[in-house]
Amino acid sequence: MMIPNQSFFFIFFLSVIFINTLASPTHQRDALLEFKNEFPFNASDPRAPPEAPLSSWNTSSDHCSWKGVTCNAHSSEVISLVLEYTYLNGSLKANTSLLKLHHLHHLTLYNCDLIGEIPSSLGNLFHLRHLNISDNNFLTGEIPSSIGNLSYLSYLDLSHNYLVGKIPSSLGNLSRLTVLDLSDNPRLIGEVPPSIGNLNQLKIISFYSNKLNGTIPSSFANLNKLSYLLLTGNQFSGGDLPLILSNLTSLSYFDISDNHFKSKLPSNMSGLHNLEVFRVNSNSLIGNVPTSLFTIPSLRLVSLSENQLEGPLEFGNTSLASELPYLDLASNNFNGPISESISRFLKLEFIDLSNNSFTGPIPGSMSKLVSLDDLNLSYNKLEGRVPSFLWRMSTLMLSHNSFSSFEELSQAVVNGSDSDHGSNSFQGPVQFDLGSNSLHGSLPRWICKRTSLALLDLSNNHLTGSIPSCLMNCTASLGYIILRNNNLSGFLPDIFTNATKLRSLDVSRNQLAGKLPKSLINCESMEYLNLKVNKFKDTFPSWLSSLESLSVLFLGSNAFYGPISSHLGFQSLRVIDLSNNSFNGTLPQDYFVNWREMASVGEKDGFTSSDGIDTFMEHMGGGIYEDSMDMMYKGVDTEFPLILLMFKAIDFSGNKFTGRIPKSIGMLKELRHVNFSRNAFTGSIPSSLANIKNLEALDLSHNKLSGNIPRDLANLSFVSYLDFSHNLLQGPVPRSTQFQRQHCSSFEDNLGLFGLEDICGPVHATSGDSHQSEEFSSEEAEEALSWKAAAIAFGPGVFCGLVIGYIFFTSHKQTHMVHGKARLNHPGGIISVR
C-alpha cells in the first residue's frame, strides 16, 4: 500500500511520460501522417494535380523539413502548419489528427479544396494565434462557436467560403484579435453581434459580400485601433454612423458601399486624420456632406455616389496639399454651382458629378487640375460654353445638360503641346460624349486632331453644316460615331477607308443626302448602322451584306428606291428596317433563305450567349452607354426606351413592294416583330408565319392580300399585336385568345371576313359600317400602347456600348421608369436606357 506522497509522485511521473510522448518527434510525425491520410488522393479526379499532394511527407525525412511544417528548434514540436494551394479535396474530421499538435500556434489551410464543415473540435487548439481556413469554395456549415475559446487568437480568416448561419457572439471573447475576416460567404446572414465591439485590439474587420443585415452595433465606437472596416455588399440598413465614425480615429479604409444604410454623415470628420479611402456609395444616406471630409489631407478616394445626399457642395479650405486623385459624387441630389474650390485638389485624375442638379457653367478654376483625365458631368443642369481646357481629357462625359457652344481652342491646345499639360495630353483612347445638349454651330474641326478618338457622341443637339471630311484622320481608332438628331446636311463623307474598328455609326434624324459612301464596305467590325430619317437617295446597298458582323441595319425614312437584290446574305443580321422608302419590285419566295441569324435557335439568343450579355459587359468594361431607337407603328415613327434583351425584327413597311410575301419568312423562326404593312403585296398570307413560334407583333395592313387568315396563326401564343386591316381578306377569323384580344380596327376594311362578333360586337361585325374603325378611346389607346421593349446590345469600351431595340405590344405591362429612364439591374452593375 502506497503512502499519499508516493501516489503523488507516481501520478506526476506518469504525466511527465505522457506529455513527453505527445511532444516526441515520432508522435508529432505520426500525427502529421495521420492528417495526410485523412485526405486520400484520387488521381482520376479531373481537378487533381499531376502528383499527390504532400508527397514530401514521408518517413524518409525529418517531419520538420516537410512542406508547410515549422517546428520548435529545441523540442521539434510542430508550431506552424501552412498549406496553401494544396489539393486536399476532403473534409476536416471532428477527431482530426491536428488535435494532437498541442503546441500549434499557426494553422493555415488556404485554397486547399476543403469540403464539409469546420469541426467545432478546432476550438481545442488552445495555443492557436493564427487561424486561416479561407478560399475553400465548398467549405460550408456554420462558424463553430467554439472558436471563441481560442483566447490567444490574434488572426482569424474564414473568408471566401460558403459558410452559413449567423456570426457567433462567442467571437467577442477573442480579446487579442487584431484581424477578423469573414468576407465573401454569401450565405452568412443575420446581425453583427454587439460583442464584436468588445475586441478593442482589432485593426481589420472585413465582412464584405455576405448577407448580413440589421444595424451596425454602436459598440463599434470602441474600436479606436481599427484601421480597415469593410462592410460592402451586404444588407445593412442602419447604424449610428456619426457616433461610430467620430470615434474611429485610426481609420484609414472605410467601405460600407452597396448596402441600405439610412443615416447622416458626421457633421465633423476632421478627426479621421488617417483616412485614405471613404466609400459609402450605393446606400440611402441623407443630409449634407460635411466640408471637413475634404480637408483630410491623406484622402486618396472618395465615393459618395448613389445616395440621397443634397445641398450645395463645398470642398473646404485645406492648408495642406491634398493628394486626392479620385472623387465620385454621382447620382445624388446636389445642387447649385460646382464650387471653384474644387481646384484645390491638384492631384485629381477622376471626377464624376453626374446625375445631380448642378447649375451654371463649368468653373474656370478646373483648368488648374492638370492631372485630370476622366470627367463626367452628365445629367445635370449645366450651361454656357464647353471650356477649351476640357479637350485634353481622355474621357469627357457632358451629356444631358444645356451647353450651348464650344469655346475656341488655341492652336497649342489642339496640337497637344500646351505647356501646362505636357506632351502626353492626347495619348491613349479618347471618348467624348456631349449628346443631348443645346449645342449650335458646326462640328468643330479640331476634333480631327484627336487621332486616338474611340467614341464621339454629339447626338441630340442643334449642330448644322456638314460632317467634316477630316474625320478620316480619326476613323482608324473610332469605334463609335453617334451624330443622330441634329441638323447636319450635305453628304456622308467617304472617310471609312481605314475604319476597321468602327462598330457603330448613327447619323439618323439629320438632313444628309446623296448616295452612301462605298468606303463603308471597309468597316469590317460594323455591327450597328443607323441612317434613318435623312434624305439619302440611292439603290439598296446590297454590298453591305459582306460585313459579316452587321447585326442591325436601319435605312428607314429616306429616299432609297428600286428593287432589292434577291441574293442577300446578311448572315448576322438581327434587325432590319427599310420602312418609308420607295423600294419596289417583288421578293422571291426564297428571299430569306440565307438570313441565318434570324433563323437560328439556341443558347446564343439568351442571356448566357457568347455574343450576348457577357460580350456586351466585357466590351463595356463595366461602364454604360445609353441610347434609344425608333421604329414604325401605325405610320408614326416613334422613339421608345430600351431594355437590354435580345430580339430579332423585320420592318419593310411603307414601300412599293408587289407580289407575294415570301413563304421563306417562316424560316426565320426567331423573329419577334414582322411589319410588311403599307405596300402592294398580293396573294394569300403565307401559312409559314405560323412557324415563327415566338412572334409577338405582326402587321400586314394596307396591302392587297386575299384569301383566308391562316388558321394556324391562332397557335402563336406570344402574339400581342396583330393588324390585318385594309386588305381583301375573307373567311373566318381564327378563334384564339390572341385574336380575341385584338381591337376591331385590326380587321377593318376586309369586307369578306366574318366571325368578328366577339371582337367588334354584333353591330359592327355585321354592318360593314366604315365608321367601325373609330379611334381608340384614350383609355383603350393607353392600354393598347403599353410597351414591352426588347433590345440587342453592343459595347465599345469603358463607358461605351450601344443598346438598340424594337417594340412589341402588350396589355398591362409598363417599362419601369426612374427619372425618365428605364433601369435594369445586372451583376456588372446598373444599366440605364432612355
Side-chain angles (χ1 to χ4, degrees), residues 364-382:
S365 64
M366 289 184 70
S367 63
K368 300 176 183 178
L369 304 178
V370 296
S371 299
L372 189 61
D373 193 54
D374 192 325
L375 177 63
N376 189 347
L377 302 178
S378 59
Y379 288 96
N380 278 287
K381 300 177 181 179
L382 299 169

Side-chain angles (χ1 to χ4, degrees), residues 544-613:
L544 288 176
S545 63
S546 64
L547 301 181
E548 296 181 356
S549 298
L550 187 63
S551 295
V552 179
L553 177 61
F554 287 160
L555 303 180
S557 300
N558 278 284
F560 288 101
Y561 62 91
I564 297 180
S565 169
S566 60
H567 304 290
L568 293 180
F570 289 104
Q571 298 183 12
S572 298
L573 206 64
R574 286 175 173 264
V575 182
I576 184 170
D577 182 354
L578 306 183
S579 63
N580 295 318
N581 281 286
S582 296
F583 292 119
N584 58 27
T586 61
L587 301 178
Q589 290 300 295
D590 63 351
Y591 182 75
F592 295 108
V593 168
N594 294 321
W595 295 37
R596 298 179 183 176
E597 183 61 30
M598 291 191 188
S600 64
V601 180
E603 282 189 358
K604 69 178 182 175
D605 296 315
F607 286 97
T608 58
S609 69
S610 60
D611 64 345
I613 222 168

Side-chain angles (χ1 to χ4, degrees), residues 1-11:
M1 180 176 179
M2 292 186 182
I3 62 176
N5 284 342
Q6 289 176 319
S7 299
F8 172 79
F9 285 112
F10 178 72
I11 293 172

Side-chain angles (χ1 to χ4, degrees), residues 24 215 445 463 564 693 766:
S24 69
T215 60
R445 296 310 195 255
L463 298 171
I564 297 180
K693 300 298 184 183
T766 58

